[in-house]
Amino acid sequence: MHSFQCSPSYVDQPSSRLSARGRSNTVAYYSNTADPPLSEEKIQKSFGKRMRDLVVRQDRQKKQKNSKAINPAKPPFVYEAVSLQTYKEMVADEQDRLVVVRFYAKWCRACKAVEPLFYRMAHSMPDVKFVEVPVLEENANLHQGLEVPSLPYGHIYSPTAGLVEEIRMVKPEFKSFQKVVETYRAGECADLEMDPETGLFLSPFVSKGGACKK
């Protein structure tokens, strides 16, 4: 049977020295790892930084909210025509409402710039029918057949007179485009004088005839 003997150096070590060394190690450990108490000045700086961060975060959230309001998502009542048949059904066959058409392409930067303005106008005019016609590989002949000269481009159709306006729809000129739509929407006219060169009805803004109300 084997007996175990303790090391004399350990046995002879006074308990007071062991406890003292243990206490000193404990104090050293906590003093190295724990955060030192903050001064009043540091507390104020930390509080100020948190408040500034909060204000910046709130401003960012507010800007994002305003951006969504300025750039609304596509309204569910904005229709899309991707073929000659759907275009005829949605636009040419409409007999009750004014129709505003936007010709665009997804890769067109000018089209993307005017898109939120077009959607905002659609939100503000629920009595007008809005239709979009994207340029696709399978419907390129649709744009060519309608003789769309550039993108983005707009058509306005009257339920009684058909195509009455062909207008560029670029961002710098969008306010003018919207004014034309509002004029037809209000029922204003200029005797719908026909342009002999284009075969289109003249715009109320360029016709020499006096404006009239239906």
Side-chain angles (χ1 to χ4, degrees):
M1 183 173 182
H2 298 283
S3 61
F4 294 94
Q5 295 182 355
C6 298
S7 170
S9 60
Y10 178 79
V11 173
D12 295 341
Q13 188 177 25
S15 59
S16 61
R17 287 179 58 194
L18 178 63
S19 59
R21 185 166 60 182
R23 285 196 302 271
S24 64
N25 289 342
T26 302
V27 172
Y29 173 79
Y30 282 107
S31 63
N32 291 334
T33 58
D35 292 333
L38 294 175
S39 65
E40 185 69 23
E41 182 180 357
K42 289 184 177 180
I43 291 175
Q44 291 179 355
K45 287 184 178 180
S46 176
F47 177 78
K49 184 179 183 302
R50 290 199 305 270
M51 291 299 99
R52 287 193 297 272
D53 291 343
L54 179 61
V55 171
V56 170
R57 186 162 55 249
Q58 289 176 342
D59 288 344
R60 187 183 302 117
Q61 292 173 349
K62 185 177 180 181
K63 288 180 180 179
Q64 291 175 349
K65 185 177 180 180
N66 292 337
S67 176
K68 291 180 180 179
I70 296 173
N71 303 290
K74 179 179 178 178
F77 46 82
V78 173
Y79 302 89
E80 186 173 82
V82 296
S83 67
L84 180 60
Q85 181 61 30
T86 55
Y87 188 85
K88 181 179 181 299
E89 293 173 355
M90 294 180 182
V91 180
D93 293 345
E94 178 62 53
Q95 299 179 355
D96 299 321
R97 291 182 291 174
L98 190 70
V99 182
V100 178
V101 183
R102 179 175 84 105
F103 297 93
Y104 75 102
K106 293 182 178 179
W107 41 261
C108 170
R109 295 178 62 182
C111 299
K112 292 180 180 179
V114 81
E115 183 177 272
L117 303 177
F118 183 78
Y119 290 161
R120 190 195 301 177
M121 183 171 66
H123 275 291
S124 66
M125 301 181 181
D127 56 318
V128 177
K129 187 174 185 178
F130 289 84
V131 179
E132 291 184 311
V133 184
V135 175
L136 303 174
E137 185 178 351
E138 57 270 22
N139 74 348
N141 60 337
L142 176 59
H143 289 73
Q144 293 174 0
L146 294 170
E147 298 182 353
V148 176
S150 62
L151 295 175
Y153 205 70
H155 279 185
I156 301 175
Y157 288 80
S158 166
T160 57
L163 179 60
V164 292
E165 293 287 348
E166 291 186 69
I167 312 175
R168 290 203 318 159
M169 197 188 289
V170 291
K171 188 174 181 180
E173 302 174 12
F174 191 82
K175 288 185 178 180
S176 298
F177 176 82
Q178 186 166 345
K179 286 181 180 179
V180 175
V181 175
E182 290 172 348
T183 297
Y184 284 106
R185 182 182 176 221
E188 296 179 358
C189 66
D191 297 330
L192 293 180
E193 184 180 345
M194 182 78 74
D195 186 341
E197 295 183 3
T198 63
L200 298 175
F201 291 98
L202 293 175
S203 166
F205 291 99
V206 300
S207 176
K208 295 180 180 180
C212 61
K213 293 277 187 178
K214 288 184 179 180

